[in-house]
Amino acid sequence: MTDDRRVRPDGYGDEDDEETPLEQVVAGVVIATIFLVGFGLLALGFPWFWVAFPVGFAGVLPAAIGLVRWYESRRESEGAR
């Protein structure tokens, strides 16, 4: 059975898996915000501060990256017209 996916020279996954600069910036901002909120809640004495981490990393970060990819794909498709 052959695999028709394009493989990067280092052998790890598709060439399309690379992050765009916008994805990198959004991911950095979201990660910084998650840490700021989580540790801010800890500093303020909230006993449920740890909830910010799974919600942020399992919910907010993937949603933000998904929105960026959707935005970039729409922008590319409108640019191709």
Side-chain angles (χ1 to χ4, degrees):
M1 176 180 250
T2 61
D3 189 8
D4 294 328
R5 295 182 306 155
R6 295 181 296 168
V7 178
R8 296 188 328 204
D10 60 4
Y12 293 103
D14 295 339
E15 290 177 4
D16 297 334
D17 286 345
E18 293 184 24
E19 292 181 340
T20 63
L22 181 59
E23 285 180 87
Q24 292 175 354
V25 169
V26 168
V29 168
V30 170
I31 290 170
T33 304
I34 292 167
F35 281 124
L36 181 66
V37 169
F39 290 121
L41 291 172
L42 173 64
L44 292 173
F46 284 90
W48 293 91
F49 73 92
W50 59 270
V51 173
F53 297 108
V55 168
F57 287 113
V60 177
L61 183 59
I65 296 300
L67 284 172
V68 168
R69 289 182 180 174
W70 174 77
Y71 169 77
E72 288 179 335
S73 68
R74 271 195 72 172
R75 194 167 162 202
E76 286 177 6
S77 67
E78 288 177 1
R81 291 184 197 174

